[in-house]
Amino acid sequence: MLQQFNPANKDLLVYIDGKLLHRDEAKVSVFDSSVQGGDAVWEGIRVYNGRVFSLEEHLDRLFDSAHAMLFRGVPTREAVRQAIFETLRANHMTDGVHLRLTLTRGVKITSGMDPRLNQAGCSLIVLAEHKPPVYPESITLITSSVRRNSPMSIDSKIHHNNLINNILAKIEANNAGADAGLMLDKDGYVAEANGVNVFAIHDGTVYTPHADFCLPGITRKTVLRLCRENGIPAVEKRMSVTEFYVADEVFTTGTMGELTRVRAIDQREIVNRAESSVLGKVQELFRKETESAGVPF
Ligand code: PMP
């Protein structure tokens, strides 16, 4: 599973601090905090049929992350919303679009770690690409030796750009020929995969780890809500890898790939002993949600 260059994205217009620039001209300063220290926060957002899906939830998480990192000179929520809409309109985009929204601490007066060197306020980048869900119908995982960050080091609840923790797990997965790395918490319980949350289904009940050592994903939250609204039991609990190996069905959730079946973990095939697929039902509920929910622009 490796994304390829999409020629439809050849002449993208990218929003940076109020300007829309051709992708070849869209650049940040060498003094920008994201270059200097990965000091930025971000969101991945999807557009379905003229609507920005879960926009308010993504804006909540973006602003919460910026607040937790004590950003100064943060643009208003309305300014971010308008920047997104302006970018989509300028690129004539309505469907099958993935948006990467990045808010950096901004440009520094000189290189250095100290946030007091940031005196110009934050920088906002809106990168919208033609990109349907990136995962194939099913994927494989390997358990990574890299532990997911805990609140003792970097709280995984902050959606920051310091992605090395996850990138190292992804490298391990690549080297093992798997699609993603399953990351454990400091005690050896499952946290999430390197870029997606994980779920296991046992006897008709949908389980997912507590959002203690993982990003509290917006797709994860939507899936839990859809299950509860539709009479499918859904439980958050501490889970070991073995509980995933022996599950009837395992799947991942995330904006990039939506809901994706996992067919094997560490070469243990996931075998459904039940007669029907609960995942199939949840995928259908999610698909219906994407057909009507979201903010029109
Ligand atoms: N976990 C990690 C580490 C992620 O980076 C992401 C996506 N940014 C997710 C989970 C999925 O979150 P969401 O459903 O909000 O896209």
Side-chain angles (χ1 to χ4, degrees), residues 4 19 45 47 69 89 116 123 141 160 187 190 194 209 233-234 247-248 263 286-287 295:
Q4 305 294 321
K19 292 195 190 99
I45 308 179
V47 176
M69 289 182 30
R89 283 192 210 111
R116 291 173 302 180
S123 281
L141 306 179
H160 52 76
D187 295 322
V190 171
N194 61 269
D248 291 326
R263 64 175 182 280
F286 186 81
R287 195 187 57 74
V295 178

Side-chain angles (χ1 to χ4, degrees), residues 42 58 61 148 159 166 192 194-197 215 217-220 253-255:
W42 68 286
H58 283 286
R61 191 168 64 187
R148 187 69 174 105
H159 203 198
N166 310 65
E192 62 176 332
N194 61 269
V196 279
N197 294 112
L215 181 77
I218 289 166
T219 320
R220 173 187 182 277
T253 64
T255 300

Side-chain angles (χ1 to χ4, degrees), residues 10-224:
K10 184 167 68 65
D11 292 314
L12 291 180
L13 293 174
V14 184
Y15 178 104
I16 306 185
D17 290 336
K19 292 195 190 99
L20 280 160
L21 302 166
H22 186 271
R23 61 178 287 161
D24 297 342
E25 310 300 323
K27 300 192 169 75
V28 293
S29 162
V30 293
F31 288 100
D32 189 274
S33 295
S34 57
V35 178
Q36 297 255 328
D39 192 358
V41 297
W42 68 286
E43 287 298 319
I45 308 179
R46 235 174 219 300
V47 176
Y48 296 95
N49 203 11
R51 285 167 286 101
V52 185
F53 192 65
S54 299
L55 176 61
E56 298 308 323
E57 289 85 344
H58 283 286
L59 292 179
D60 284 345
R61 191 168 64 187
L62 184 84
F63 285 102
D64 284 351
S65 295
H67 180 72
M69 289 182 30
L70 200 60
F71 278 12
R72 304 285 191 207
V74 176
T76 64
R77 194 173 173 111
E78 190 48 29
V80 177
R81 213 183 268 126
Q82 289 309 323
I84 292 171
F85 296 161
E86 203 183 309
T87 309
L88 290 169
R89 283 192 210 111
N91 286 289
H92 309 290
M93 289 168 159
T94 53
D95 197 29
V97 174
H98 181 268
L99 266 164
R100 191 165 175 124
L101 187 63
T102 308
L103 185 70
T104 87
R105 198 186 291 275
V107 172
K108 291 177 173 292
I109 52 168
T110 180
S111 86
M113 195 186 286
D114 190 338
R116 291 173 302 180
L117 301 176
N118 290 74
Q119 295 170 11
C122 292
S123 281
L124 178 67
I125 302 167
V126 187
L127 171 60
E129 292 180 272
H130 296 284
K131 191 186 293 222
V134 298
Y135 281 166
E137 193 164 322
S138 70
I139 57 170
T140 60
L141 306 179
I142 54 119
T143 304
S144 171
S145 68
V146 182
R147 294 294 198 246
R148 187 69 174 105
N149 284 331
S150 101
M152 288 190 287
S153 49
I154 305 178
D155 195 340
S156 298
K157 289 196 169 61
I158 304 176
H159 203 198
H160 52 76
N161 278 55
N162 219 301
L163 294 175
I164 305 304
N165 183 220
N166 310 65
I167 290 170
L168 288 174
K170 176 62 176 158
I171 290 169
E172 271 194 344
N174 289 349
N175 290 347
D179 295 306
L182 187 62
M183 302 182 76
L184 309 182
D185 68 20
K186 60 173 182 44
D187 295 322
Y189 292 91
V190 171
E192 62 176 332
N194 61 269
V196 279
N197 294 112
V198 287
F199 286 73
I201 300 170
H202 285 266
D203 294 332
T205 299
V206 174
Y207 296 93
T208 195
H210 292 289
D212 289 340
F213 295 88
C214 65
L215 181 77
I218 289 166
T219 320
R220 173 187 182 277
K221 192 171 155 193
T222 305
V223 163
L224 288 172

